[in-house]
Amino acid sequence: MTTSPPRPRRDTGDLPPLLPPVRRLLKHPRLMHHHRLAALVLLVNAAPAVLSRPLATSTLGHAALANLALAVLVRQQYVVNLLFRLATAAPTSWPLRARWTLGKVYHFGGLHVGGALAGTAWFLALTLTTPNGALRAVGWTLTALLVLIVATALPAFRARHHDHFEKIHRFGGWTALALFWTHTLLSSPGPAQVGVLALVTFSVALPWLRLRKVDVRLERPSSHVVLARFDHGETPFAGSSTAISRSPLKEWHSFANVPAPGESGFRLTISRAGDWTGSFIDDLPEQVWVKGITTAGVANIEVLFKKVVYVATGSGIGPCLPHLLAAKVPSRLVWATRDPRATYGDALVDAILAVQPHALIRDTARHGKPDMVRLAHDAWRDFGAEAVICISNKKLTWQVVHGLERRGIPAYGAIWDS
């Protein structure tokens, strides 16, 4: 049996009324679960700093290492898949509110942010208490590098200079790890410290141990999109993603895997959304690099619900498609895009309609851009769904997710935290 959210109060046209003020406040983007987890990590770290002053040098070092290990390990692909598996193991007989919260598992990046911030602060405190000498020099170098990594990971910089952010995060992270080893060995470490550092190092290296160059077959139905087909011995699970690159030490881009039931291999839908994707579509490379393992994405939370509505715009259909084809959960599709057959090809549209005969496919070239919050709500209501999953650009995703959640409807979408 499911539980209903508190009765909303204020009417807003055809849409459900808004939740009461306190409940509505918790649905604000600034209070999303990602930010709550980051705040929780910082509060846990603040407790000993406030209640147990002064702290021993060894305590400062252990706290720094523990938090930076959390920041690294929570992003590890095997850990991500485990978190999704644990969160989605709940049966649909559980109360809706419990499943609603479990569906926010993809906000785990808040632990990464909190760990990185707290670890940097602890290491700064450790360096301030370190006597002059080689250890202090390494400490200040590492502190400066950690501050640079944190500063360039802030949303404002990351959004404007994503390529620089990615390079600083990768090469700066590797350098920081080497400096951490140097600092630890100079500090006469215990076996626990060495063990944690070894685990972190292995976690960082593991995806690169599976680095390989693979063949790709490309079909370009229009100048806007390419359908990339892979068959190099892996058939990923529906709802996972694969990172690909044309130059492995530079840029990596993740795309949703689209395996076809009963067939080996998978497809990626790559749309023109910047210099890298534009060059990929124009050049049509015959091989690309892949690394690591396929990783669970946001739409995997569908299994927590009895019925879901998928809302997509443009190339957002890519991450939705594997779930529509697998049909593990009864679903209804709402897709708004410009001239779908001319852009994505008849084969893809026909494949969608074969499994979603009642899908609402809105041609924005003919009918204009719709009110996606209203379309999502109407589909949720008419289909009797429990949740809505939105795959779109950042602005519209947050508009749909928060527009529905503040009205008591479970809704999910990417949060652009990586």
Side-chain angles (χ1 to χ4, degrees):
M1 180 179 294
T2 61
T3 60
S4 301
R7 180 176 296 177
R9 294 181 179 175
R10 188 163 57 87
D11 192 9
T12 53
D14 296 333
L15 293 173
L18 298 174
L19 293 172
V22 174
R23 286 271 296 170
R24 191 164 71 246
L25 178 64
L26 293 175
K27 303 302 178 185
H28 193 279
R30 294 188 183 276
L31 293 178
M32 68 171 69
H33 290 74
H34 177 276
H35 299 332
R36 296 184 208 176
L37 287 173
L40 176 63
V41 173
L42 294 176
L43 286 174
V44 169
N45 278 275
V50 173
L51 301 176
S52 305
R53 295 181 294 176
L55 296 174
T57 299
S58 60
T59 301
L60 297 175
H62 292 156
L65 178 58
N67 280 279
L68 292 172
L70 171 64
V72 172
L73 295 176
V74 79
R75 286 290 195 191
Q76 219 290 327
Q77 293 171 315
Y78 287 98
V79 174
V80 172
N81 287 345
L82 176 61
L83 292 175
F84 269 91
R85 178 167 294 186
L86 293 174
T88 58
T92 55
S93 59
W94 280 23
L96 178 59
R97 187 169 295 175
R99 292 180 282 127
W100 188 345
T101 301
L102 287 171
K104 301 296 183 180
V105 60
Y106 60 95
H107 288 249
F108 63 83
L111 299 175
H112 169 80
V113 172
L117 291 173
T120 301
W122 283 118
F123 200 84
L124 173 60
L126 174 63
T127 303
L128 289 171
T129 63
T130 302
N132 288 327
L135 188 61
R136 187 178 179 90
V138 173
W140 277 117
T141 303
L142 179 51
T143 299
L145 182 56
L146 291 175
V147 170
L148 174 65
I149 293 173
V150 168
T152 54
L154 294 174
F157 181 92
R158 190 173 61 201
R160 289 187 176 184
H161 311 285
H162 189 273
D163 291 348
H164 295 302
F165 151 75
E166 188 174 343
K167 292 173 184 176
I168 292 171
H169 223 63
R170 178 177 301 117
F171 295 112
W174 292 347
T175 305
L177 185 57
L179 288 172
F180 222 119
W181 270 108
T182 303
H183 189 278
T184 300
L185 294 176
L186 288 173
S187 306
S188 301
Q193 289 173 282
V194 174
V196 172
L197 260 181
L199 177 61
V200 170
T201 304
F202 178 70
S203 174
V204 171
L206 187 56
W208 295 92
L209 297 178
R210 293 174 56 88
L211 179 69
R212 58 207 185 279
K213 201 170 190 179
V214 300
D215 294 332
V216 57
R217 292 185 292 114
L218 301 175
E219 176 187 347
R220 186 170 55 194
S222 72
S223 61
H224 178 73
V225 66
V226 153
L227 304 178
R229 299 179 182 273
F230 295 84
D231 193 2
H232 53 271
E234 291 192 10
T235 302
F237 60 92
S240 61
S241 63
T242 291
I244 64 173
S245 176
R246 300 178 69 179
S247 180
L249 292 180
K250 293 183 179 179
E251 293 183 70
W252 284 89
H253 296 263
S254 292
F255 300 93
N257 300 318
V258 186
E263 297 181 12
S264 63
F266 60 98
R267 288 178 293 167
L268 303 179
T269 304
I270 302 174
S271 296
R272 190 181 296 272
D275 294 340
W276 191 91
T277 51
S279 175
F280 192 96
I281 293 170
D282 294 335
D283 297 345
L284 298 179
E286 297 181 352
Q287 291 184 312
V288 296
W289 291 91
V290 298
K291 66 180 173 71
I293 61 172
T294 55
T295 312
V298 57
N300 279 271
I301 56 93
E302 65 166 7
V303 297
L304 287 167
F305 305 100
K306 297 172 184 176
K307 290 183 177 182
V308 298
V309 168
Y310 279 100
V311 176
T313 61
S315 57
I317 191 62
C320 300
L321 188 55
H323 298 281
L324 301 177
L325 295 176
K328 290 183 178 179
V329 177
S331 62
R332 178 69 55 84
L333 172 66
V334 177
W335 183 26
T337 187
R338 183 180 181 84
D339 204 347
R341 290 189 178 275
T343 303
Y344 297 92
D346 289 331
L348 188 143
V349 175
D350 290 340
I352 292 172
L353 292 175
V355 294
Q356 284 278 318
H358 302 293
L360 172 58
I361 302 179
R362 169 96 173 212
D363 183 348
T364 58
R366 296 180 58 189
H367 305 292
K369 295 182 179 180
D371 181 341
M372 295 303 293
V373 175
R374 189 172 298 276
L375 285 185
H377 163 261
D378 291 348
W380 169 84
R381 178 197 60 202
D382 298 342
F383 188 55
E386 287 189 316
V388 172
I389 299 172
C390 180
I391 310 294
S392 182
N393 58 61
K394 184 174 183 178
K395 180 180 179 180
L396 197 142
T397 296
W398 285 10
Q399 179 183 340
V400 170
V401 170
H402 299 297
L404 295 176
E405 290 230 320
R406 61 206 293 259
R407 292 179 166 86
I409 300 173
Y412 305 88
I415 56 174
W416 285 269
D417 67 325
S418 60

